[in-house]
Structures are given as structure tokens and as C-alpha cells.
Amino acid sequence: MESQIVRIENDEWHTVQGNDAWRAALEAGKVLFFPNLAFQLQPGEQVLLRPDIRDPGVRNISLNVDGSLKGAVGDAATQAALAVMIARFREQASALIAALLPFYVSALRLAPTSYRPTQVETRTQSWRADDRRLHVDAFPSRPNYGERILRVFANINPDGAARVWRVGEPFETVARKFLPKAKPYVPWQARLLEKLRVTKSLRSEYDHLMLQLHDGMKSDMDFQQHSQQETVGFPAGSVWVCFSDQASHAVMSGQYMLEQTLHLPPGHAYDPSASPLAILTRLVGRPLYGLDGAAGITRASTP
């Protein structure tokens, strides 16, 4: 299998400039890896690198778009310091994406920024939530109608420990394996899930198929163990970028990471034909149901 990792040697955030090859690789589901692009902590921020700073009732600490902090414990000074650190990463991550992908900027929607101080290996989760299994990102309660999930990660581990991923086969290869096993989309079930508030909006056929791929990958232990994949350690002081709805990945180990998510609406990529929406539409052989007018998605008719 061709490597899904593209190594980029820039060591200063302000010197990164995108090019067509990197953009094509990213939109094909590859991971852009900056091994020397460190997020620098400011004096006094080292004390924020401890696992008990996270509220045990939540998975991660997050800084919302409005600047409010969620999921942290500690006094007002500690929470303010966390907000400042995470906001600084948000600014740098957003600037990095603007430099790499200027065509995206006007369309991108900012999502909360997360700080993940927990050691991956110690998390106890159900198989569906276990990110140590190869998967593509898809969320049961949040339909996105083909909107892309673009993520910037930074390893800030103070002890030098790498964040270790497994990166699997290209999206279309995976989709061809698991689509034949997918349960059919049933519009009335989607409407019922919305009415019961299991989903925040109507689950489209696209979202249904993405969840079927996510669950199919995670539940297939032969696939987890024997599919083509590579292991990569993202060292402390490095950054990596990918579309997490397209890059097949599993997070095996690591602690202390910052992550910024940005959402890209359908049709706003450099090559819309490379997106999961476009690939699934081609494989299914017809438009997928969802929001009216959203780049090849049409609303399901009432049966």
C-alpha cells in the first residue's frame, strides 16, 4: 500500500505555504505530517499538563467558539490559563489551514477546540467508541450532509512520548469492502430518530452510510488486524492535519494533545470529486438523500 503519510519539513508556523500536491494528498484522505512544527507552551503553562485537570465526567476539555471553557476543573486562574493556551492553539491552527488551503477560508465553519490530557491506553470504552480501532469519523447524533471534518492535531507531551496512530487504506478501498454489508437507509426511521431527538436533525442517507462504514470497520476484527495499514508515531513537538471523515485511522497511544476541528461544506474543496460524499454517490450509483441543493444530495421523498 502506498503510504498515506505526507511528511512536510517546515519548522515555523508562519513559513508554511500550501501547494497543489499537498492539497491533492489531503483531499485524497492522506495525513499531512509536520514533524518539526511545535506548538510552544508559554511560561507557566507546563502546570496545565496533568490528567486531573479534566473533569472525569467528560472525555476532553474544550474551548467553545464563543470562548467558554468546558470540561476543566480548578480555580478561576487555572481555567483562564487553559482558555488562553487553547485559544492560542486555535489561532495558530486556523492560520495554518488558511496558508495551506486558502480556497477553504471563506467557507470553513469553526468548531470547538479540544485539549486531551488523558492517556489513550487507559480509556475504557465500548467497541463503537473505541478509537483504538480503525475507523473514519461519523457521529450518530449529528448528521452533517456531506460536510467535511478537517482536523489539526498537536502533540504537546512534556515527556517526549509520541502519539501513535495506525493509518489504513484509502477511503474508496474501505468503502468498497463495507458498503455491500451496509443496512439499507429507511427514511421513516430517520424521521423517527429526529422526532425522538436521538439525532439533532434528519439523518441523511449519506450520514447513514458513513455510520455503517464506521461501525462495520470497528466491529470487524479481521479487518482491524489484517487490512493494509501503517503505524506512525507523531512525536512531541509535531503537528498533523487530515480529514478525519476520510482518513482511516486508529489512535493507539499518547497523552496531552491539542486538536482543532473545522467543517467544510460540500462543494467547497479543491476537488469535490475526491470527497467521501462523491465517492459514496459513485459507488451507490445515485444521489444520496439529505439537504436540498447540497452538492449532489437531494431530500428524501415521503414514502
Side-chain angles (χ1 to χ4, degrees):
M1 182 183 74
E2 178 184 350
S3 177
Q4 299 299 294
I5 309 298
V6 177
R7 187 181 176 103
I8 301 171
E9 298 296 339
N10 290 71
D11 58 4
E12 296 288 344
W13 291 76
H14 68 275
T15 65
V16 177
Q17 295 294 324
N19 62 48
D20 290 342
W22 295 349
R23 293 167 189 142
L26 181 70
E27 292 189 346
K30 295 189 177 183
V31 180
L32 303 186
F33 173 32
F34 298 83
N36 305 307
L37 196 63
F39 176 73
Q40 299 293 342
L41 297 182
Q42 297 299 310
E45 289 181 341
Q46 285 282 342
V47 300
L48 304 176
L49 304 186
R50 65 179 199 272
D52 63 354
I53 204 166
R54 175 185 61 85
D55 183 333
V58 301
R59 185 170 179 177
N60 301 308
I61 296 168
S62 61
L63 184 70
N64 292 324
V65 175
D66 64 7
S68 60
L69 189 72
K70 293 178 62 177
V73 298
D75 59 19
T78 298
Q79 302 227 6
L82 272 171
V84 168
M85 180 184 76
I86 299 170
R88 192 171 71 256
F89 173 70
R90 171 183 289 176
E91 292 174 4
Q92 290 188 222
S94 298
L96 176 65
I97 293 302
L100 284 170
L101 306 153
F103 178 61
Y104 288 7
V105 173
S106 63
L108 284 172
R109 179 172 64 85
L110 188 68
T113 314
S114 70
Y115 168 43
R116 307 180 184 188
T118 304
Q119 189 174 20
V120 170
E121 304 93 305
T122 64
R123 292 195 307 222
T124 302
Q125 298 171 308
S126 69
W127 66 266
R128 278 192 177 90
D130 187 358
D131 288 343
R132 292 171 295 184
R133 301 188 185 202
L134 283 167
H135 64 284
V136 291
D137 282 351
F139 304 105
S141 66
R142 302 197 305 272
N144 67 20
Y145 308 99
E147 188 176 55
R148 306 300 313 281
I149 305 170
L150 179 61
R151 287 184 160 156
V152 182
F153 305 90
N155 183 354
I156 58 171
N157 191 287
D159 301 316
R163 195 159 186 100
V164 178
W165 278 22
R166 289 185 292 138
V167 179
E169 298 165 316
F171 181 86
E172 184 162 346
T173 302
V174 173
R176 287 182 180 276
K177 287 182 179 179
F178 288 99
L179 270 183
K181 306 173 187 178
K183 296 177 182 177
Y185 176 70
V186 181
W188 71 261
Q189 291 179 343
R191 290 195 295 275
L192 180 62
L193 290 172
E194 182 185 24
K195 184 176 181 179
L196 295 175
R197 299 185 179 180
V198 174
T199 60
K200 295 182 178 180
S201 58
L202 182 71
R203 181 181 290 171
S204 70
E205 186 173 13
Y206 168 80
D207 293 291
H208 168 79
L209 291 177
M210 288 294 290
L211 283 167
Q212 290 289 295
L213 294 183
H214 173 277
D215 289 357
M217 294 168 72
K218 283 191 173 181
S219 65
D220 188 332
M221 295 312 296
D222 183 71
F223 170 78
Q224 292 293 325
Q225 296 170 11
H226 300 122
S227 64
Q228 294 188 59
Q229 55 192 273
E230 57 189 308
T231 299
V232 56
F234 299 109
S238 70
V239 166
W240 60 106
V241 180
C242 72
F243 280 112
S244 63
D245 56 334
Q246 186 169 13
S248 176
H249 64 287
V251 187
M252 305 310 296
S253 65
Q255 188 175 14
Y256 303 113
M257 186 184 73
L258 291 164
E259 177 269 328
Q260 177 63 58
T261 296
L262 302 116
H263 295 288
L264 183 70
H268 288 272
Y270 288 87
D271 180 9
S273 70
S275 70
L277 170 60
I279 291 169
L280 292 179
T281 299
R282 289 198 300 270
L283 293 180
V284 171
R286 54 181 165 72
L288 299 178
Y289 298 128
L291 291 179
D292 293 323
I297 312 178
T298 56
R299 180 167 294 282
S301 59
T302 301

